[in-house]
Amino acid sequence: MPSSLSKVVTIERHILDNQGQHPGATGRLTSLLYDIALAAKLIARETTRAGIANVLGITSGQNVHGEIQQKLDVYADQVIFRMNDHTGRVCVMASEEHDDLLHIPERYPPGHYVLIYDPLDGSSNIDVNASIGTIFAIHHRITPGDGHGTLEDVLQPGSRLVAAAYVIYGSSTMMVYSTGQGVHGFTLDPSIGEFLLSHPDIRTPSTGKYYSVNQGRQKHWSRGVQRYVAWLQGLDDEGREPLGLRYIGSMIADFHRNLLRGGVFLYPADTGQPSGKLRLTYEAQPLAFIAAQAGGYASDGARDILSIQPENLHQRVPVFMGSRDLVEKAEQFLREDA
Ligand code: AHG
Ligand code: MN
Ligand code: MN
């Protein structure tokens, strides 16, 4: 075999090799992750063709949060559902774009896993050709038997996640996943249509270069958040050098940069949004899982996001995540000003 070939690790091979290490592994999770990767490739194809394929622009629909749905949101939402509704691997799904659970059609067998997803994250960026993403969270079902999944299966703390993944559609398309054995990144090679291992075992620096926040909302922040961000900017008495501000309004893009380079992403509670903006199950839990697996940390300002028991499907949560030292500092400021 040419030596260059031995270096090529497809995502399928990587997932298989990793899952094979689990005693009792059945291959079902491997197949589910591969189904997700396939959905991601389809979305990536539409994303890169968006400008020419007449899929830009809004649909008439609004999602359950009252936000206008973009056409690509709808496409991504449907592709992910269809790739997973018939395989016998998933017992129930939940998408950020739907009020209620997404049930597996009666004609197909329900499976062991629960799939929760944000089909298109950062959708306000679609029309301006900036990076967007998709987020996935996977739980084991907790209801007994092999019938259809229920709300109880979806509302589990992040600490029970079996796997989480995100896809970033940027200057290249990447899929980053964890099954609890570190975080691994793959870059889509469009010429062969495969995700190839490009970032094995990602470790996030314990402190960082960047902070990412919608600074325009500053007047709505609590005193604790104000003081924390001033600290990030080096404006307090410690006289530290400021971190750089990077914020694109696409959490996946902001999170991904900070994961690789070190930094903190925050979307705090404020007077206009008392629980913050981001959703616990679709956005915060899977990224908290990945952050933790890369050696980072995610908090709601007081506790580990992975410890929170969700109470409803579209629950929002304040978010501080990324490099551990920076997130713990946020908790300290918020505690002092509680
Ligand atoms: P979505 O596109 O799934 O609704 O998520 C958008 C989220 C997140 O990606 C981003 O970080 C945040 O909204 C940006 O919000 P602001 O415009 O308030 O900064
Ligand atoms: Mn989102
Ligand atoms: Mn979304």
Side-chain angles (χ1 to χ4, degrees), residues 127-176:
D127 275 351
V128 293
N129 219 346
S131 297
I132 49 183
T134 301
I135 311 172
F136 300 96
I138 299 171
H139 284 292
H140 276 300
R141 67 179 303 156
I142 48 176
T143 50
D146 52 9
H148 286 273
T150 68
L151 194 57
E152 196 187 338
D153 293 310
V154 174
L155 300 184
Q156 300 190 50
S159 55
R160 299 185 60 129
L161 281 167
V162 172
Y166 66 82
V167 183
I168 177 166
Y169 313 99
S171 47
S172 56
T173 297
M174 269 190 78
M175 180 162 162
V176 176

mmCIF file of all heavy atoms in Angstrom, residues 127-176:
data_model
loop_
_atom_site.group_PDB
_atom_site.id
_atom_site.type_symbol
_atom_site.label_atom_id
_atom_site.label_comp_id
_atom_site.label_asym_id
_atom_site.label_seq_id
_atom_site.Cartn_x
_atom_site.Cartn_y
_atom_site.Cartn_z
ATOM 1 N N ASP A 127 -27.580 33.987 4.341
ATOM 2 C CA ASP A 127 -27.671 34.900 3.207
ATOM 3 C C ASP A 127 -26.452 35.796 3.025
ATOM 4 O O ASP A 127 -26.367 36.520 2.039
ATOM 5 C CB ASP A 127 -28.920 35.787 3.356
ATOM 6 C CG ASP A 127 -30.149 35.086 2.803
ATOM 7 O OD1 ASP A 127 -29.991 34.025 2.173
ATOM 8 O OD2 ASP A 127 -31.265 35.605 3.007
ATOM 9 N N VAL A 128 -25.538 35.765 3.985
ATOM 10 C CA VAL A 128 -24.355 36.622 3.855
ATOM 11 C C VAL A 128 -23.081 35.781 3.722
ATOM 12 O O VAL A 128 -21.974 36.280 3.887
ATOM 13 C CB VAL A 128 -24.238 37.609 5.041
ATOM 14 C CG1 VAL A 128 -25.386 38.610 4.988
ATOM 15 C CG2 VAL A 128 -24.216 36.899 6.385
ATOM 16 N N ASN A 129 -23.284 34.478 3.424
ATOM 17 C CA ASN A 129 -22.153 33.616 3.086
ATOM 18 C C ASN A 129 -21.125 33.493 4.203
ATOM 19 O O ASN A 129 -19.929 33.438 3.950
ATOM 20 C CB ASN A 129 -21.471 34.144 1.811
ATOM 21 C CG ASN A 129 -21.039 33.009 0.905
ATOM 22 O OD1 ASN A 129 -21.020 31.862 1.333
ATOM 23 N ND2 ASN A 129 -20.691 33.326 -0.323
ATOM 24 N N ALA A 130 -21.604 33.493 5.431
ATOM 25 C CA ALA A 130 -20.693 33.255 6.562
ATOM 26 C C ALA A 130 -20.984 31.862 7.136
ATOM 27 O O ALA A 130 -22.004 31.257 6.818
ATOM 28 C CB ALA A 130 -20.864 34.339 7.613
ATOM 29 N N SER A 131 -20.080 31.397 7.994
ATOM 30 C CA SER A 131 -20.158 30.005 8.443
ATOM 31 C C SER A 131 -21.425 29.701 9.237
ATOM 32 O O SER A 131 -21.887 30.515 10.039
ATOM 33 C CB SER A 131 -18.950 29.681 9.322
ATOM 34 O OG SER A 131 -17.780 29.792 8.565
ATOM 35 N N ILE A 132 -21.950 28.525 9.004
ATOM 36 C CA ILE A 132 -23.109 28.016 9.746
ATOM 37 C C ILE A 132 -22.792 26.587 10.186
ATOM 38 O O ILE A 132 -21.722 26.067 9.860
ATOM 39 C CB ILE A 132 -24.395 28.067 8.885
ATOM 40 C CG1 ILE A 132 -24.143 27.464 7.508
ATOM 41 C CG2 ILE A 132 -24.898 29.498 8.765
ATOM 42 C CD1 ILE A 132 -25.335 27.528 6.566
ATOM 43 N N GLY A 133 -23.715 25.966 10.914
ATOM 44 C CA GLY A 133 -23.402 24.632 11.422
ATOM 45 C C GLY A 133 -24.637 23.787 11.672
ATOM 46 O O GLY A 133 -25.768 24.223 11.468
ATOM 47 N N THR A 134 -24.389 22.552 12.090
ATOM 48 C CA THR A 134 -25.442 21.634 12.522
ATOM 49 C C THR A 134 -24.949 20.983 13.809
ATOM 50 O O THR A 134 -23.752 20.720 13.937
ATOM 51 C CB THR A 134 -25.684 20.530 11.463
ATOM 52 O OG1 THR A 134 -26.062 21.130 10.227
ATOM 53 C CG2 THR A 134 -26.786 19.578 11.901
ATOM 54 N N ILE A 135 -25.878 20.746 14.740
ATOM 55 C CA ILE A 135 -25.479 20.155 16.026
ATOM 56 C C ILE A 135 -26.314 18.902 16.286
ATOM 57 O O ILE A 135 -27.537 18.912 16.078
ATOM 58 C CB ILE A 135 -25.694 21.156 17.190
ATOM 59 C CG1 ILE A 135 -25.107 22.526 16.861
ATOM 60 C CG2 ILE A 135 -25.095 20.615 18.490
ATOM 61 C CD1 ILE A 135 -25.456 23.611 17.875
ATOM 62 N N PHE A 136 -25.656 17.847 16.782
ATOM 63 C CA PHE A 136 -26.343 16.587 17.099
ATOM 64 C C PHE A 136 -26.042 16.155 18.533
ATOM 65 O O PHE A 136 -24.906 16.300 18.994
ATOM 66 C CB PHE A 136 -25.839 15.457 16.192
ATOM 67 C CG PHE A 136 -26.057 15.693 14.729
ATOM 68 C CD1 PHE A 136 -25.045 16.219 13.933
ATOM 69 C CD2 PHE A 136 -27.267 15.369 14.134
ATOM 70 C CE1 PHE A 136 -25.237 16.419 12.574
ATOM 71 C CE2 PHE A 136 -27.463 15.563 12.766
ATOM 72 C CZ PHE A 136 -26.453 16.095 11.990
ATOM 73 N N ALA A 137 -27.045 15.591 19.178
ATOM 74 C CA ALA A 137 -26.860 14.992 20.507
ATOM 75 C C ALA A 137 -27.530 13.624 20.497
ATOM 76 O O ALA A 137 -28.628 13.469 19.950
ATOM 77 C CB ALA A 137 -27.488 15.879 21.576
ATOM 78 N N ILE A 138 -26.868 12.644 21.085
ATOM 79 C CA ILE A 138 -27.395 11.266 21.077
ATOM 80 C C ILE A 138 -27.431 10.718 22.499
ATOM 81 O O ILE A 138 -26.406 10.721 23.201
ATOM 82 C CB ILE A 138 -26.512 10.340 20.204
ATOM 83 C CG1 ILE A 138 -26.498 10.842 18.753
ATOM 84 C CG2 ILE A 138 -27.011 8.899 20.268
ATOM 85 C CD1 ILE A 138 -25.494 10.118 17.859
ATOM 86 N N HIS A 139 -28.609 10.270 22.911
ATOM 87 C CA HIS A 139 -28.769 9.568 24.193
ATOM 88 C C HIS A 139 -29.176 8.119 23.931
ATOM 89 O O HIS A 139 -29.785 7.811 22.903
ATOM 90 C CB HIS A 139 -29.913 10.199 25.009
ATOM 91 C CG HIS A 139 -29.575 11.497 25.649
ATOM 92 N ND1 HIS A 139 -28.671 11.615 26.679
ATOM 93 C CD2 HIS A 139 -30.054 12.749 25.435
ATOM 94 C CE1 HIS A 139 -28.608 12.879 27.062
ATOM 95 N NE2 HIS A 139 -29.431 13.599 26.314
ATOM 96 N N HIS A 140 -28.940 7.259 24.927
ATOM 97 C CA HIS A 140 -29.634 5.969 24.973
ATOM 98 C C HIS A 140 -31.081 6.239 25.380
ATOM 99 O O HIS A 140 -31.333 7.145 26.167
ATOM 100 C CB HIS A 140 -29.043 5.089 26.083
ATOM 101 C CG HIS A 140 -27.832 4.338 25.671
ATOM 102 N ND1 HIS A 140 -27.830 3.440 24.641
ATOM 103 C CD2 HIS A 140 -26.576 4.333 26.186
ATOM 104 C CE1 HIS A 140 -26.614 2.924 24.532
ATOM 105 N NE2 HIS A 140 -25.835 3.464 25.444
ATOM 106 N N ARG A 141 -31.998 5.449 24.926
ATOM 107 C CA ARG A 141 -33.358 5.567 25.457
ATOM 108 C C ARG A 141 -33.334 5.124 26.915
ATOM 109 O O ARG A 141 -32.533 4.271 27.306
ATOM 110 C CB ARG A 141 -34.333 4.720 24.643
ATOM 111 C CG ARG A 141 -34.103 3.229 24.764
ATOM 112 C CD ARG A 141 -35.110 2.441 23.952
ATOM 113 N NE ARG A 141 -36.474 2.767 24.345
ATOM 114 C CZ ARG A 141 -37.540 2.619 23.554
ATOM 115 N NH1 ARG A 141 -37.374 2.135 22.324
ATOM 116 N NH2 ARG A 141 -38.730 2.931 23.976
ATOM 117 N N ILE A 142 -34.213 5.723 27.725
ATOM 118 C CA ILE A 142 -34.293 5.272 29.121
ATOM 119 C C ILE A 142 -35.621 4.593 29.404
ATOM 120 O O ILE A 142 -35.761 3.909 30.401
ATOM 121 C CB ILE A 142 -34.036 6.407 30.140
ATOM 122 C CG1 ILE A 142 -34.855 7.655 29.818
ATOM 123 C CG2 ILE A 142 -32.559 6.723 30.199
ATOM 124 C CD1 ILE A 142 -34.696 8.759 30.868
ATOM 125 N N THR A 143 -36.604 4.803 28.524
ATOM 126 C CA THR A 143 -37.859 4.085 28.732
ATOM 127 C C THR A 143 -37.635 2.618 28.354
ATOM 128 O O THR A 143 -36.934 2.317 27.385
ATOM 129 C CB THR A 143 -38.995 4.679 27.875
ATOM 130 O OG1 THR A 143 -38.532 4.801 26.526
ATOM 131 C CG2 THR A 143 -39.411 6.040 28.388
ATOM 132 N N PRO A 144 -38.193 1.703 29.132
ATOM 133 C CA PRO A 144 -37.949 0.285 28.857
ATOM 134 C C PRO A 144 -38.683 -0.185 27.608
ATOM 135 O O PRO A 144 -39.612 0.472 27.137
ATOM 136 C CB PRO A 144 -38.501 -0.415 30.111
ATOM 137 C CG PRO A 144 -39.413 0.567 30.767
ATOM 138 C CD PRO A 144 -39.025 1.935 30.313
ATOM 139 N N GLY A 145 -38.246 -1.321 27.093
ATOM 140 C CA GLY A 145 -38.932 -1.924 25.953
ATOM 141 C C GLY A 145 -38.398 -1.404 24.643
ATOM 142 O O GLY A 145 -37.395 -0.686 24.594
ATOM 143 N N ASP A 146 -39.091 -1.771 23.584
ATOM 144 C CA ASP A 146 -38.633 -1.344 22.261
ATOM 145 C C ASP A 146 -39.740 -0.619 21.502
ATOM 146 O O ASP A 146 -39.834 -0.700 20.288
ATOM 147 C CB ASP A 146 -38.077 -2.530 21.469
ATOM 148 C CG ASP A 146 -39.065 -3.691 21.424
ATOM 149 O OD1 ASP A 146 -40.221 -3.483 21.865
ATOM 150 O OD2 ASP A 146 -38.684 -4.773 20.960
ATOM 151 N N GLY A 147 -40.601 0.074 22.256
ATOM 152 C CA GLY A 147 -41.643 0.874 21.615
ATOM 153 C C GLY A 147 -41.108 2.240 21.221
ATOM 154 O O GLY A 147 -39.889 2.465 21.192
ATOM 155 N N HIS A 148 -42.011 3.167 20.920
ATOM 156 C CA HIS A 148 -41.597 4.510 20.523
ATOM 157 C C HIS A 148 -41.053 5.276 21.726
ATOM 158 O O HIS A 148 -41.478 5.062 22.852
ATOM 159 C CB HIS A 148 -42.769 5.235 19.878
ATOM 160 C CG HIS A 148 -43.033 4.715 18.498
ATOM 161 N ND1 HIS A 148 -42.386 5.208 17.386
ATOM 162 C CD2 HIS A 148 -43.810 3.701 18.070
ATOM 163 C CE1 HIS A 148 -42.771 4.524 16.319
ATOM 164 N NE2 HIS A 148 -43.646 3.599 16.707
ATOM 165 N N GLY A 149 -40.114 6.173 21.461
ATOM 166 C CA GLY A 149 -39.522 6.973 22.521
ATOM 167 C C GLY A 149 -40.484 8.055 22.994
ATOM 168 O O GLY A 149 -41.461 8.390 22.320
ATOM 169 N N THR A 150 -40.202 8.596 24.163
ATOM 170 C CA THR A 150 -41.077 9.606 24.778
ATOM 171 C C THR A 150 -40.245 10.829 25.171
ATOM 172 O O THR A 150 -39.018 10.834 25.046
ATOM 173 C CB THR A 150 -41.737 9.051 26.052
ATOM 174 O OG1 THR A 150 -40.676 8.873 27.028
ATOM 175 C CG2 THR A 150 -42.425 7.717 25.808
ATOM 176 N N LEU A 151 -40.959 11.812 25.716
ATOM 177 C CA LEU A 151 -40.298 13.029 26.190
ATOM 178 C C LEU A 151 -39.235 12.707 27.243
ATOM 179 O O LEU A 151 -38.174 13.327 27.288
ATOM 180 C CB LEU A 151 -41.362 13.975 26.764
ATOM 181 C CG LEU A 151 -40.935 15.419 27.014
ATOM 182 C CD1 LEU A 151 -40.404 16.076 25.756
ATOM 183 C CD2 LEU A 151 -42.115 16.223 27.587
ATOM 184 N N GLU A 152 -39.537 11.715 28.076
ATOM 185 C CA GLU A 152 -38.587 11.313 29.115
ATOM 186 C C GLU A 152 -37.234 10.898 28.501
ATOM 187 O O GLU A 152 -36.172 11.131 29.078
ATOM 188 C CB GLU A 152 -39.202 10.127 29.866
ATOM 189 C CG GLU A 152 -38.553 9.819 31.185
ATOM 190 C CD GLU A 152 -39.118 8.517 31.780
ATOM 191 O OE1 GLU A 152 -40.242 8.102 31.415
ATOM 192 O OE2 GLU A 152 -38.399 7.922 32.594
ATOM 193 N N ASP A 153 -37.284 10.282 27.340
ATOM 194 C CA ASP A 153 -36.045 9.857 26.682
ATOM 195 C C ASP A 153 -35.220 11.049 26.200
ATOM 196 O O ASP A 153 -33.993 10.986 26.149
ATOM 197 C CB ASP A 153 -36.373 8.945 25.486
ATOM 198 C CG ASP A 153 -36.966 7.616 25.925
ATOM 199 O OD1 ASP A 153 -36.369 6.979 26.808
ATOM 200 O OD2 ASP A 153 -38.026 7.241 25.397
ATOM 201 N N VAL A 154 -35.926 12.108 25.833
ATOM 202 C CA VAL A 154 -35.238 13.294 25.296
ATOM 203 C C VAL A 154 -34.707 14.176 26.423
ATOM 204 O O VAL A 154 -33.616 14.747 26.316
ATOM 205 C CB VAL A 154 -36.195 14.090 24.381
ATOM 206 C CG1 VAL A 154 -35.557 15.394 23.930
ATOM 207 C CG2 VAL A 154 -36.586 13.250 23.170
ATOM 208 N N LEU A 155 -35.485 14.272 27.516
ATOM 209 C CA LEU A 155 -35.105 15.181 28.609
ATOM 210 C C LEU A 155 -34.153 14.487 29.583
ATOM 211 O O LEU A 155 -34.536 14.113 30.688
ATOM 212 C CB LEU A 155 -36.350 15.696 29.327
ATOM 213 C CG LEU A 155 -37.337 16.480 28.463
ATOM 214 C CD1 LEU A 155 -38.486 17.018 29.302
ATOM 215 C CD2 LEU A 155 -36.636 17.621 27.726
ATOM 216 N N GLN A 156 -32.923 14.333 29.165
ATOM 217 C CA GLN A 156 -31.902 13.728 30.020
ATOM 218 C C GLN A 156 -30.772 14.734 30.218
ATOM 219 O O GLN A 156 -30.502 15.542 29.330
ATOM 220 C CB GLN A 156 -31.328 12.473 29.359
ATOM 221 C CG GLN A 156 -32.346 11.387 29.089
ATOM 222 C CD GLN A 156 -31.647 10.092 28.652
ATOM 223 O OE1 GLN A 156 -30.711 9.625 29.302
ATOM 224 N NE2 GLN A 156 -32.102 9.501 27.552
ATOM 225 N N PRO A 157 -30.102 14.680 31.365
ATOM 226 C CA PRO A 157 -28.967 15.593 31.543
ATOM 227 C C PRO A 157 -27.846 15.287 30.553
ATOM 228 O O PRO A 157 -27.689 14.146 30.101
ATOM 229 C CB PRO A 157 -28.503 15.331 32.987
ATOM 230 C CG PRO A 157 -29.200 14.124 33.448
ATOM 231 C CD PRO A 157 -30.357 13.846 32.530
ATOM 232 N N GLY A 158 -27.068 16.297 30.227
ATOM 233 C CA GLY A 158 -25.974 16.134 29.273
ATOM 234 C C GLY A 158 -24.937 15.130 29.728
ATOM 235 O O GLY A 158 -24.230 14.528 28.911
ATOM 236 N N SER A 159 -24.840 14.909 31.031
ATOM 237 C CA SER A 159 -23.864 13.938 31.548
ATOM 238 C C SER A 159 -24.182 12.530 31.063
ATOM 239 O O SER A 159 -23.334 11.647 31.128
ATOM 240 C CB SER A 159 -23.850 13.965 33.081
ATOM 241 O OG SER A 159 -25.166 13.745 33.567
ATOM 242 N N ARG A 160 -25.408 12.317 30.589
ATOM 243 C CA ARG A 160 -25.776 10.975 30.114
ATOM 244 C C ARG A 160 -25.626 10.832 28.599
ATOM 245 O O ARG A 160 -25.993 9.795 28.047
ATOM 246 C CB ARG A 160 -27.224 10.678 30.510
ATOM 247 C CG ARG A 160 -27.420 10.699 32.019
ATOM 248 C CD ARG A 160 -28.820 10.287 32.364
ATOM 249 N NE ARG A 160 -29.072 8.946 31.885
ATOM 250 C CZ ARG A 160 -29.573 7.968 32.630
ATOM 251 N NH1 ARG A 160 -29.858 8.193 33.890
ATOM 252 N NH2 ARG A 160 -29.791 6.789 32.107
ATOM 253 N N LEU A 161 -25.141 11.870 27.939
ATOM 254 C CA LEU A 161 -25.004 11.764 26.478
ATOM 255 C C LEU A 161 -24.082 10.595 26.102
ATOM 256 O O LEU A 161 -23.059 10.353 26.756
ATOM 257 C CB LEU A 161 -24.439 13.057 25.891
ATOM 258 C CG LEU A 161 -25.446 14.201 25.722
ATOM 259 C CD1 LEU A 161 -24.716 15.517 25.431
ATOM 260 C CD2 LEU A 161 -26.440 13.887 24.617
ATOM 261 N N VAL A 162 -24.458 9.905 25.056
ATOM 262 C CA VAL A 162 -23.636 8.824 24.510
ATOM 263 C C VAL A 162 -22.657 9.400 23.492
ATOM 264 O O VAL A 162 -21.516 8.968 23.380
ATOM 265 C CB VAL A 162 -24.549 7.786 23.807
ATOM 266 C CG1 VAL A 162 -23.724 6.754 23.073
ATOM 267 C CG2 VAL A 162 -25.484 7.152 24.812
ATOM 268 N N ALA A 163 -23.117 10.392 22.756
ATOM 269 C CA ALA A 163 -22.276 11.002 21.730
ATOM 270 C C ALA A 163 -22.821 12.383 21.395
ATOM 271 O O ALA A 163 -24.011 12.668 21.618
ATOM 272 C CB ALA A 163 -22.265 10.141 20.465
ATOM 273 N N ALA A 164 -21.963 13.227 20.879
ATOM 274 C CA ALA A 164 -22.377 14.533 20.370
ATOM 275 C C ALA A 164 -21.481 14.866 19.193
ATOM 276 O O ALA A 164 -20.341 14.378 19.102
ATOM 277 C CB ALA A 164 -22.256 15.607 21.453
ATOM 278 N N ALA A 165 -22.017 15.669 18.289
ATOM 279 C CA ALA A 165 -21.249 16.040 17.102
ATOM 280 C C ALA A 165 -21.712 17.396 16.604
ATOM 281 O O ALA A 165 -22.851 17.804 16.874
ATOM 282 C CB ALA A 165 -21.444 14.990 15.998
ATOM 283 N N TYR A 166 -20.824 18.073 15.925
ATOM 284 C CA TYR A 166 -21.279 19.238 15.166
ATOM 285 C C TYR A 166 -20.593 19.244 13.810
ATOM 286 O O TYR A 166 -19.546 18.619 13.618
ATOM 287 C CB TYR A 166 -21.055 20.560 15.926
ATOM 288 C CG TYR A 166 -19.629 20.963 16.171
ATOM 289 C CD1 TYR A 166 -18.875 21.610 15.198
ATOM 290 C CD2 TYR A 166 -19.030 20.717 17.397
ATOM 291 C CE1 TYR A 166 -17.576 21.996 15.435
ATOM 292 C CE2 TYR A 166 -17.712 21.089 17.645
ATOM 293 C CZ TYR A 166 -16.994 21.726 16.665
ATOM 294 O OH TYR A 166 -15.689 22.107 16.902
ATOM 295 N N VAL A 167 -21.251 19.935 12.885
ATOM 296 C CA VAL A 167 -20.695 20.102 11.550
ATOM 297 C C VAL A 167 -20.583 21.596 11.322
ATOM 298 O O VAL A 167 -21.492 22.348 11.675
ATOM 299 C CB VAL A 167 -21.622 19.478 10.487
ATOM 300 C CG1 VAL A 167 -20.989 19.589 9.101
ATOM 301 C CG2 VAL A 167 -21.921 18.030 10.822
ATOM 302 N N ILE A 168 -19.462 22.032 10.789
ATOM 303 C CA ILE A 168 -19.302 23.448 10.465
ATOM 304 C C ILE A 168 -19.136 23.565 8.954
ATOM 305 O O ILE A 168 -18.326 22.857 8.354
ATOM 306 C CB ILE A 168 -18.138 24.085 11.261
ATOM 307 C CG1 ILE A 168 -17.935 25.534 10.849
ATOM 308 C CG2 ILE A 168 -16.848 23.305 11.154
ATOM 309 C CD1 ILE A 168 -17.054 26.317 11.808
ATOM 310 N N TYR A 169 -19.970 24.397 8.351
ATOM 311 C CA TYR A 169 -19.893 24.640 6.918
ATOM 312 C C TYR A 169 -19.155 25.966 6.761
ATOM 313 O O TYR A 169 -19.761 27.039 6.864
ATOM 314 C CB TYR A 169 -21.297 24.704 6.307
ATOM 315 C CG TYR A 169 -22.188 23.562 6.767
ATOM 316 C CD1 TYR A 169 -23.109 23.747 7.801
ATOM 317 C CD2 TYR A 169 -22.088 22.295 6.196
ATOM 318 C CE1 TYR A 169 -23.910 22.704 8.251
ATOM 319 C CE2 TYR A 169 -22.875 21.242 6.649
ATOM 320 C CZ TYR A 169 -23.787 21.454 7.677
ATOM 321 O OH TYR A 169 -24.570 20.421 8.128
ATOM 322 N N GLY A 170 -17.853 25.891 6.612
ATOM 323 C CA GLY A 170 -17.030 27.098 6.564
ATOM 324 C C GLY A 170 -16.198 27.108 5.301
ATOM 325 O O GLY A 170 -16.653 26.670 4.248
ATOM 326 N N SER A 171 -14.938 27.550 5.434
ATOM 327 C CA SER A 171 -14.067 27.549 4.260
ATOM 328 C C SER A 171 -13.867 26.109 3.785
ATOM 329 O O SER A 171 -13.577 25.851 2.627
ATOM 330 C CB SER A 171 -12.734 28.228 4.567
ATOM 331 O OG SER A 171 -12.227 27.750 5.791
ATOM 332 N N SER A 172 -14.007 25.163 4.710
ATOM 333 C CA SER A 172 -14.233 23.769 4.322
ATOM 334 C C SER A 172 -15.320 23.247 5.263
ATOM 335 O O SER A 172 -15.672 23.919 6.228
ATOM 336 C CB SER A 172 -12.946 22.946 4.446
ATOM 337 O OG SER A 172 -12.442 23.042 5.750
ATOM 338 N N THR A 173 -15.857 22.058 4.972
ATOM 339 C CA THR A 173 -16.852 21.470 5.864
ATOM 340 C C THR A 173 -16.130 20.517 6.802
ATOM 341 O O THR A 173 -15.345 19.677 6.359
ATOM 342 C CB THR A 173 -17.912 20.698 5.056
ATOM 343 O OG1 THR A 173 -18.592 21.624 4.207
ATOM 344 C CG2 THR A 173 -18.909 20.020 5.977
ATOM 345 N N MET A 174 -16.399 20.677 8.076
ATOM 346 C CA MET A 174 -15.793 19.768 9.059
ATOM 347 C C MET A 174 -16.852 19.132 9.919
ATOM 348 O O MET A 174 -17.854 19.774 10.238
ATOM 349 C CB MET A 174 -14.843 20.540 9.982
ATOM 350 C CG MET A 174 -13.410 20.591 9.514
ATOM 351 S SD MET A 174 -12.363 21.278 10.827
ATOM 352 C CE MET A 174 -12.192 19.846 11.902
ATOM 353 N N MET A 175 -16.637 17.893 10.313
ATOM 354 C CA MET A 175 -17.467 17.258 11.325
ATOM 355 C C MET A 175 -16.582 16.911 12.519
ATOM 356 O O MET A 175 -15.499 16.345 12.356
ATOM 357 C CB MET A 175 -18.123 15.995 10.759
ATOM 358 C CG MET A 175 -19.001 15.293 11.784
ATOM 359 S SD MET A 175 -20.155 14.155 10.964
ATOM 360 C CE MET A 175 -20.613 13.131 12.362
ATOM 361 N N VAL A 176 -17.056 17.296 13.684
ATOM 362 C CA VAL A 176 -16.309 17.067 14.924
ATOM 363 C C VAL A 176 -17.206 16.231 15.823
ATOM 364 O O VAL A 176 -18.377 16.576 16.015
ATOM 365 C CB VAL A 176 -15.964 18.424 15.592
ATOM 366 C CG1 VAL A 176 -15.278 18.203 16.932
ATOM 367 C CG2 VAL A 176 -15.081 19.269 14.668
#
